[in-house]
Amino acid sequence: MNKMNNKKEYEREELHKTIWKIANELRGSVDGWDFKQYVLGLLFYRFISENIEHYVNENQRKAGIENFEYRNISDEQALMGKSQILEEKGFFILPSELFCNVRKNADKNENLNVVISNIFNNIEASARGTASENDVKGLFDDFTIDNKLGNTVDERNEKLVKMLNAIGNLKLGDYYDNNIDLFGDAYEFLMTMYASSAGKSGGEFFTPQEVGELLARIVIQDKTSVNKVYDPACGSGGLLLKFAKILGKENVKEGFFGQEINLTTYNLARINMFLHNINYNNFHIARGDTLVHPEHWDDEPFDAIVSNPPYSIKWAGKENPILINDERFAAAGVLAPSSKADLAFTMHMLSWLSPKGTAAIVEFPGVLYRGGAEQKIRQYMIDNNFVEAVIQLPSDLFFGTSIATCILVLKKNKTDNNILFVDASEEFVRNTNKNKLSDENINNIVNLLKERVSIDNKAYLATYDEIKENDYNISVNSYLKTNTGEVEIDIEEVNKKLAEIVPRQQQIRNELEEIIRELESDYYE
């Protein structure tokens, strides 16, 4: 087992080195985020080509046609099986348009940029009018071969050939080795690489993998399967896919559901599903504003909800008179402030959480203690016993911000009316220029949640009465002394020292003035 894990780790490390090399060698004048679209687009193109190939080859070999190779048959022959392939895979690619066949003659093809654009259009068009149309539509929208790749057709084609070869040479294993998860790993590494180098603009929709791991572990606890998982602000889909990694995708019984407002990110989330070999009929990623136009009314409630919604963004709030009567928000009797949507996302998730489910949400610290409407929403959640735990995370975990965030854990089937406060502010390792949660850190946090008892400086189990007396403030440092890196100041001691310093300061000033007078006297004499 260890030997196999070591082999996988070695493969993963080599893969990351190669991707880093591609990025540094090829991007040149192409901005990092633009370059990412090309690399991801071609990685996705290779993946779905091999996915189709494997599916058809397996079927034909089972039917007794030994050594069948889809890449070697004519397009006319392939079209005979098109409807079956579409029904199963959700898209169709002609043999002549497979990644391997386009790559083979790429350096001799003067129209390569046009050919690749047409192939991507054909793949999307193949799903029109079928059950998978919405899952495939627009997947290649960000892959536009324009002047960013070079000023002339020749320059653009030269870059494309280099990228095709580089992506084609990546050692991603194949279906026969069951190593196809390396495609997904390559995707995640690319996202991490570009998010960390692009700062806030790149990191706003990407949550570090280990934070995603923690959220999923909190929700799963000892379960071996869940019915369906949901993220209302799903970004590129990484949090949802942690459930596939931890449980196995077959143990997410009814699939992966998410909504994303940003078009580019929405496309990335769907690509991410395919790259992790989640079939089109096992996921539903929708585009739109979740707070005003939620797309999964027919799919809720969910047993497992995880999310890292955007921090303190503006939303319609009370400006939209319909929202106060929306069943997701009405129960609290008040809407989240228009300038801070954090608790609107929280109420949405609470509303769509099943009676036996768990939600783990990354929150901006202010929502745990601010007054006004936010305090009333907290009071609703606490009075109704929906808050299971609050976890203080370390600072500097996320791309684009160094702030120390928290995790709010919600449940509707609690066995007590206490809230567990966990101080995990010291649970991190320093990794290059960011903090990171190690496996040990994650295990420590999850174990504190399981034990659900007070432990000095680590966890405190507060009663409902304590929280009520504290005006429904649920910030961790109100119940535990969190280490923020600040030194505690003893005001009395400071005043005492100041009392000693001020007279001494006056004495020194007097002595200096005396010296200056003497010097002046000597000078003028």
Side-chain angles (χ1 to χ4, degrees):
M1 189 69 172
N2 280 341
K3 208 174 274 186
M4 190 180 290
N5 284 340
N6 289 343
K7 180 175 183 280
K8 280 210 163 192
E9 280 310 308
Y10 173 75
E11 284 174 349
R12 189 167 275 118
E13 202 177 304
E14 288 303 301
L15 173 65
H16 292 177
K17 279 184 197 166
T18 310
I19 292 171
W20 186 258
K21 192 176 167 199
I22 292 170
N24 285 327
E25 279 181 3
L26 297 185
R27 71 179 150 198
S29 60
V30 181
D31 176 72
W33 277 100
D34 292 323
F35 182 78
K36 170 183 61 66
Q37 309 297 356
Y38 299 117
V39 176
L40 285 175
L42 290 174
L43 183 72
F44 180 52
Y45 173 36
R46 176 181 160 184
F47 172 80
I48 58 174
S49 292
E50 292 183 12
N51 195 302
I52 287 275
E53 273 199 274
H54 172 71
Y55 170 73
V56 179
N57 290 349
E58 283 290 288
N59 279 353
Q60 292 301 311
R61 287 166 192 171
K62 279 176 189 167
I65 308 172
E66 288 183 31
N67 303 319
F68 180 88
E69 290 289 348
Y70 184 65
R71 66 179 66 184
N72 295 333
I73 69 169
S74 69
D75 288 351
E76 290 71 29
Q77 282 176 281
L79 284 166
M80 292 192 291
K82 181 179 178 180
S83 58
Q84 185 186 339
I85 294 170
L86 270 171
E87 189 178 339
E88 177 63 29
K89 304 310 293 183
F91 50 84
F92 176 76
I93 307 175
L94 290 165
S96 66
E97 297 186 343
L98 290 169
F99 180 94
C100 58
N101 286 333
V102 170
R103 181 192 174 195
K104 206 188 306 178
N105 303 308
D107 57 343
K108 302 176 192 71
N109 192 335
E110 292 177 3
N111 300 311
L112 184 63
N113 58 333
V114 178
V115 166
I116 289 178
S117 292
N118 288 342
I119 289 171
F120 290 173
N121 289 335
N122 293 343
I123 293 169
E124 188 176 324
S126 72
R128 261 179 227 139
T130 73
S132 63
E133 179 174 0
N134 289 334
D135 298 310
V136 176
K137 186 196 286 183
L139 281 176
F140 292 102
D141 278 358
D142 289 308
F143 192 95
T144 49
I145 300 166
D146 51 25
N147 292 347
K148 289 173 185 170
L149 264 186
N151 293 321
T152 67
V153 171
D154 286 345
E155 279 179 24
R156 293 196 282 275
N157 283 350
E158 186 186 345
K159 274 252 171 78
L160 281 170
V161 169
K162 280 184 180 175
M163 278 197 273
L164 277 169
N165 286 329
I167 297 293
N169 288 335
L170 283 179
K171 291 178 180 173
L172 295 170
D174 58 35
Y175 285 82
Y176 310 109
D177 296 334
N178 294 316
N179 276 344
I180 205 65
D181 65 320
L182 285 175
F183 271 103
D185 193 76
Y187 175 94
E188 286 173 8
F189 179 73
L190 274 162
M191 292 300 295
T192 307
M193 185 173 82
Y194 286 114
S196 61
S197 64
K200 188 171 182 184
S201 63
E204 61 192 7
F205 56 80
F206 184 77
T207 305
Q209 289 180 46
E210 66 277 2
V211 177
E213 180 103 6
L214 174 60
L215 292 171
R217 290 272 307 277
I218 289 168
V219 168
I220 291 165
Q221 290 287 351
D222 297 321
K223 297 186 187 92
T224 54
S225 68
V226 293
N227 73 335
K228 46 192 167 182
V229 299
Y230 175 64
D231 182 349
C234 69
S236 55
L239 298 187
L240 293 171
L241 286 161
K242 283 295 168 192
F243 289 87
K245 185 176 179 184
I246 295 169
L247 294 172
K249 64 180 187 289
E250 67 284 356
N251 291 315
V252 180
K253 303 293 187 183
E254 295 175 53
F256 304 79
F257 297 80
Q259 187 161 342
E260 172 55 39
I261 196 167
N262 178 285
L263 176 61
T264 296
T265 319
Y266 158 69
N267 288 336
L268 289 175
R270 292 182 299 152
I271 286 173
N272 204 1
M273 291 291 151
F274 281 113
L275 282 172
H276 283 80
N277 211 17
I278 309 290
N279 215 0
Y280 75 93
N281 51 14
N282 285 330
F283 73 83
H284 183 215
I285 306 295
R287 187 182 170 223
D289 182 340
T290 304
L291 298 179
V292 181
H293 302 293
E295 294 287 340
H296 293 103
W297 282 110
D298 296 336
D299 304 299
E300 63 94 12
F302 299 96
D303 282 357
I305 300 179
V306 286
S307 195
N308 177 17
Y311 305 145
S312 299
I313 60 164
K314 292 177 181 175
W315 77 300
K318 61 186 179 186
E319 303 299 318
N320 184 335
I322 297 170
L323 289 173
I324 192 60
N325 297 314
D326 188 309
E327 65 185 66
R328 297 169 299 154
F329 310 122
V334 66
L335 294 169
S338 300
S339 60
K340 299 176 182 72
D342 309 69
L343 288 183
F345 280 107
T346 304
M347 283 295 292
H348 166 80
M349 286 181 257
L350 179 60
S351 175
W352 283 14
L353 184 64
S354 78
K356 60 179 181 176
T358 305
I361 309 158
V362 177
E363 299 278 13
F364 191 81
V367 305
L368 304 177
Y369 58 79
R370 286 191 296 242
E374 290 182 311
Q375 183 184 32
K376 288 176 183 168
I377 293 170
R378 289 197 307 274
Q379 180 174 347
Y380 161 75
M381 292 192 294
I382 293 160
D383 283 349
N384 285 278
N385 202 25
F386 295 140
V387 181
E388 170 84 352
V390 184
I391 304 159
Q392 174 68 57
L393 291 175
S395 61
D396 209 18
L397 283 180
F398 293 85
F399 302 111
T401 181
S402 61
I403 198 160
T405 56
C406 305
I407 295 174
L408 186 63
V409 184
L410 303 178
K411 274 189 178 181
K412 290 182 175 175
N413 62 342
K414 286 175 64 185
T415 54
D416 60 42
N417 67 347
N418 304 322
I419 296 178
L420 182 72
F421 293 91
V422 173
D423 178 13
S425 57
E426 295 297 304
E427 292 286 354
F428 68 89
V429 291
R430 190 69 180 168
N431 183 39
T432 59
N433 61 341
K434 300 298 285 181
N435 290 336
K436 186 177 178 180
L437 300 174
S438 66
D439 289 344
E440 184 184 352
N441 297 141
I442 292 169
N443 287 334
N444 291 343
I445 297 167
V446 172
N447 287 336
L448 287 169
L449 292 179
K450 281 183 184 174
E451 289 165 16
R452 200 167 171 75
V453 293
S454 295
I455 298 172
D456 283 353
N457 303 319
K458 288 186 177 179
Y460 182 73
L461 193 62
T463 65
Y464 168 73
D465 289 336
E466 282 179 272
I467 292 155
K468 189 177 176 182
E469 282 167 23
N470 201 10
D471 292 328
Y472 297 94
N473 177 335
I474 52 171
S475 66
V476 174
N477 61 8
S478 293
Y479 302 88
L480 277 158
K481 276 255 187 284
T482 60
N483 185 352
T484 60
E486 295 171 1
V487 178
E488 195 171 313
I489 296 170
D490 184 332
I491 296 298
E492 284 185 20
E493 186 64 26
V494 169
N495 286 336
K496 188 176 165 190
K497 288 207 167 133
L498 278 172
E500 292 169 3
I501 289 167
V502 171
R504 175 73 184 133
Q505 196 178 31
Q506 189 57 48
Q507 183 187 343
I508 291 168
R509 188 177 286 121
N510 293 340
E511 287 171 0
L512 278 170
E513 284 175 356
E514 182 61 33
I515 290 166
I516 290 166
R517 272 197 300 273
E518 284 178 11
L519 286 170
E520 284 176 341
S521 170
D522 289 345
Y523 178 79
Y524 287 115
E525 284 176 4

